[in-house]
Amino acid sequence: MASGIANIGKIPELRKRIFFTLAMLAVYRVGIFVTTPGVDREVMGNIVRESSGSFMGLFNMFSGGALENLSIFALGIMPYVSASIILQLLSSVVPRLAELRKEGEAGHRKINQYTRYGTVILSFIQSMGIATFLESMNQQSGMGAVVAEPGWTFRLITMITLTTGTAFIMWLGERITERGIGNGISLIIFAGIVSRIPDAVVQVVRQATFHELSPIGLMFVVIILIAVVATIIFFERGQRRIPIQHAKRMVGRKIYGGHSTFLPLRVNQSGVIPPIFASTLLMFPSVVAGFTGFDWLNGILSYGTWGYNTVYALLIIFFCYFYTAITFQPTDVADNLKKQGAFIPGIRPGKRTAEYIDKVLNRITFGGAMYVAAVCVLPSILITKMNVPFYLGGTGLMIVVGVALDTAQQIESHLITRHYDGFTGPKGVRIRGRRARA
């Protein structure tokens, strides 16, 4: 692993991509501390810290602490995630969107364009809700006025500022995906969660120092965290390998094919998308309750309750199946295998192969969905039973470990492509006792 990390600096393209990614993330973190005009930052910070175990704390986690600063990035990347959810749901029922997904790069660009428009619209709506909420906090909060001068001027400025901030974050994420390393949107969420972990560690140490958390409880928390991280790594690396046999064919006097490969199906095919989507959707009941006055809705789905945990787990399971069905098409895989003259031993090519792959995929997706739901529901139990800080929960760890593994895998692919050692050992080609250079 040490040699693999050392080889990163030997590839100019990879080095530039990593530096570019770090620079974009640094810009994002600087913007977290730029406060929206007309808001008292200290009062807002006190309000959010008091609500660390609620949806406000969840929203603050995904925004990387931007909400407690009420910065220009307070909405975070959540409007983009919400727009992506809506577009993916619509692609299942709107034929035009389904056709665009099959048109390759041109269709993908068109869907991205629709997602951007949806992001701006949702940002305007959510920023209006935040402005109204902040004005209402002037009367409810006993810590002082959050908004200096309430009114339509403040609302319009807040709407324009927060919408522009979200659009800028979306642009940063797309640039990271295009010119950096890893998925830009996931890395922005990753950076926001990681930035909160030191505060959570300090809170745990403070609780242990003042005997709010017993030594046995602290040891139990550490063991649980290590077990959760190990479980995430184990399942994220887990694969179901379907054997593939390539038929022999003669070209001239030479025989090609006849070799065996495998089709790898990940246990968690959808990655960290299900918990992000589920968390985003569960924020809406709290917003609806605030606008309509349906406090019973907020009570049923209050963070940490059995109702919240049940709905959260069901949404995660649903999105595991839904996202896997969208991103992985067994029919297309079976057609590609048939065109290449490949087949699964004991399974007829074509429709039978697609049905077999779909059957295997459904089985492993069930196990993967159960694993994701169990890992993400764990934080609620720790918070309610042991008073553990929110940022050390399973949802945050799931996203952090998952994004870190995906990014490390992309870096390793660059290293192996240039005939360097990967993180897990030598995989390059040796020429006369020395490894080939890029």
Side-chain angles (χ1 to χ4, degrees):
M1 181 176 291
S3 62
I5 295 175
N7 287 330
I8 293 177
K10 299 179 182 179
I11 305 176
E13 180 188 355
L14 180 59
R15 188 171 62 246
K16 290 179 181 178
R17 284 181 173 272
I18 292 176
F19 285 157
F20 180 83
T21 301
L22 295 176
M24 293 297 99
L25 293 179
V27 171
Y28 165 68
R29 290 305 303 167
V30 169
I32 293 295
F33 301 98
V34 181
T35 307
T36 302
V39 178
D40 192 319
R41 176 175 174 177
E42 294 184 2
V43 175
M44 187 63 192
N46 293 332
I47 294 173
V48 173
R49 280 189 288 271
E50 284 193 351
S51 307
S52 59
S54 63
F55 287 102
M56 192 177 293
L58 180 66
F59 196 92
N60 189 51
M61 180 190 74
F62 282 121
S63 65
L67 182 61
E68 68 178 74
N69 295 321
L70 219 290
S71 77
I72 57 176
F73 295 159
L75 289 179
I77 201 63
M78 288 300 106
Y80 180 85
V81 175
S82 302
S84 299
I85 294 174
I86 295 172
L87 261 296
Q88 290 180 359
L89 290 173
L90 290 177
S91 64
S92 301
V93 295
V94 179
R96 173 56 181 163
L97 292 177
E99 292 175 2
L100 285 176
R101 290 193 174 275
K102 299 179 181 179
E103 291 181 3
E105 186 63 27
H108 185 67
R109 285 198 299 267
K110 197 68 176 179
I111 290 178
N112 282 343
Q113 185 178 3
Y114 292 154
T115 305
R116 296 188 192 103
Y117 294 154
T119 301
V120 173
I121 294 173
L122 290 177
S123 297
F124 266 113
I125 296 174
Q126 293 183 19
S127 59
M128 179 61 184
I130 287 181
T132 305
F133 169 77
L134 292 176
E135 290 180 344
S136 67
M137 291 302 295
N138 274 6
Q139 301 175 355
Q140 300 177 11
S141 176
M143 304 176 187
V146 182
V147 181
E149 298 180 2
W152 275 106
T153 302
F154 167 75
R155 296 171 195 169
L156 290 175
I157 291 176
T158 302
M159 291 170 64
I160 294 173
T161 302
L162 297 185
T163 301
T164 304
T166 297
F168 183 72
I169 296 176
M170 178 177 62
W171 180 83
L172 285 179
E174 292 178 350
R175 296 288 75 75
I176 291 174
T177 303
E178 179 182 351
R179 299 178 56 187
I181 194 78
N183 183 282
I185 302 301
S186 298
L187 282 173
I188 287 176
I189 299 175
F190 169 88
I193 297 175
V194 168
S195 68
R196 311 298 298 170
I197 290 180
D199 291 339
V201 174
V202 171
Q203 290 182 35
V204 172
V205 173
R206 185 180 294 115
Q207 288 179 352
T209 303
F210 291 98
H211 304 290
E212 297 177 7
L213 187 64
S214 65
I216 297 178
L218 178 60
M219 185 180 301
F220 178 75
V221 170
V222 173
I223 293 175
I224 288 295
L225 290 177
I226 295 175
V228 169
V229 172
T231 302
I232 293 173
I233 295 175
F234 176 78
F235 276 93
E236 292 298 320
R237 293 290 188 181
Q239 293 180 348
R240 168 69 160 88
R241 297 183 175 184
I242 299 178
I244 301 295
Q245 182 68 38
H246 292 262
K248 294 182 180 180
R249 54 191 178 90
M250 180 173 289
V251 180
R253 296 183 177 181
K254 294 184 178 181
I255 298 178
Y256 294 90
H259 60 280
S260 299
T261 57
F262 59 87
L263 175 66
L265 299 179
R266 293 177 57 186
V267 174
N268 181 21
Q269 193 77 21
S270 54
V272 299
I273 298 300
I276 295 176
F277 280 9
S279 301
T280 303
L281 284 183
L282 279 175
M283 292 179 186
F284 285 105
S286 178
V287 177
V288 172
F291 278 108
T292 61
F294 294 157
D295 294 333
W296 59 269
L297 179 63
N298 198 16
I300 294 175
L301 295 179
S302 179
Y303 183 82
T305 62
W306 286 107
Y308 173 88
N309 291 336
T310 302
V311 175
Y312 189 34
L314 292 176
L315 283 175
I316 288 175
I317 294 172
F318 167 76
F319 279 119
C320 281
Y321 277 97
F322 177 76
Y323 195 78
T324 300
I326 289 178
T327 57
F328 190 93
Q329 300 292 336
T331 304
D332 296 340
V333 175
D335 290 341
N336 291 333
L337 291 176
K338 188 176 182 179
K339 292 176 183 178
Q340 297 171 6
F343 60 93
I344 300 175
I347 307 295
R348 296 186 62 179
K351 183 179 179 180
R352 295 293 184 184
T353 298
E355 291 176 351
Y356 176 78
I357 295 175
D358 186 60
K359 180 180 178 181
V360 174
L361 188 63
N362 284 333
R363 288 182 175 180
I364 64 175
T365 301
F366 176 78
M370 294 298 105
Y371 135 72
V372 176
V375 167
C376 292
V377 169
L378 181 63
S380 297
I381 300 174
L382 287 178
I383 293 168
T384 54
K385 300 298 182 181
M386 303 188 64
N387 195 26
V388 179
F390 180 73
Y391 301 107
L392 292 180
T395 306
L397 287 176
M398 174 79 186
I399 296 173
V400 168
V401 177
V403 174
L405 288 175
D406 290 340
T407 306
Q409 187 175 5
Q410 290 196 26
I411 295 176
E412 187 171 20
S413 298
H414 278 275
L415 293 173
I416 295 173
T417 302
R418 297 329 191 266
H419 305 293
Y420 284 97
D421 289 348
F423 292 120
T424 57
K427 294 184 180 67
V429 179
R430 292 188 177 277
I431 301 178
R432 294 183 182 180
R434 294 188 301 175
R435 192 159 301 282
R437 294 178 177 269

